[in-house]
Amino acid sequence: MCPPVDKVKTKGAPKKGKSKISKRDKSTKRDPSWWEYVDASVRCSGTNALTKLTPRPSVSKVQQPKVLIFKEWLPVEIHKFIDDIIDVGEDGNCGYRAVAALLGMGENFWAFIRQECVVELQEVMSHYEIIYGGQIFVQQLIRNVYVEHVATLDNWMTLPEMRYVIASKFNLVFVALSLNQSETFFPLRSLPPTPISDHRMIVIAFVNNCHFVQVYLKPNSPIPPPSNLWRKYCTEETR
């Protein structure tokens, strides 16, 4: 870059003299901005010109459709109501892991869920003996639930027995989904919370014929009908 050959005046209007200088060159008024040109053209062409302007492209990200794992293991009728499906660990405790995660504890609290189920079965054994057909069955159920480490096939969550135990112990609505049968399990003897906002519902799906996962439904989704056992053995207050 180099300085201009002749000195250029950058300030003030040209001085009056004999030289012929146009009125435009004398003016110190700035040139209109680009937006002022646009506004003037719009006013001249009428209000309908506004609709002809090219809209500004959106910068928001395009959301990709969510991929739902294990969806093929759930009834087709429920697919459009599913918001998300989340997997848990595969160590034989998957059912209890899913419950712990859905209750907000984290799936590693599966042992606590098992322990609370044992307490429920022991404290209300007489009621469960009536439902499940005797003391021997309930005692065997307690032995199957009590696990300290990796669970074997005998220690997996059983259906529908543990659904009632979990629903009653934690006073919540337990929805079980599967290709074979989907049911809703209510508590057997506890009263529902008075404020509707305090009601809790968890949804678990049985997939791969050997595994449980967490399911999240969209608001106001339909749920399966309750089990016939609940209609028969729940207390009148709970009903």
Side-chain angles (χ1 to χ4, degrees), residues 120-140:
E120 168 73 11
L121 289 168
Q122 291 175 337
E123 290 182 346
V124 204
M125 183 177 293
S126 58
H127 193 185
Y128 288 109
E129 288 175 359
I130 298 174
I131 299 174
Y132 299 140
Q135 182 179 5
I136 297 177
F137 183 89
V138 176
Q139 290 176 344
Q140 182 62 46

Side-chain angles (χ1 to χ4, degrees), residues 159-174:
L159 305 174
E161 295 85 5
M162 296 311 302
R163 298 297 198 263
Y164 285 118
V165 175
I166 293 171
S168 299
K169 179 62 181 179
F170 297 99
N171 195 20
L172 51 81
V173 178
F174 196 125

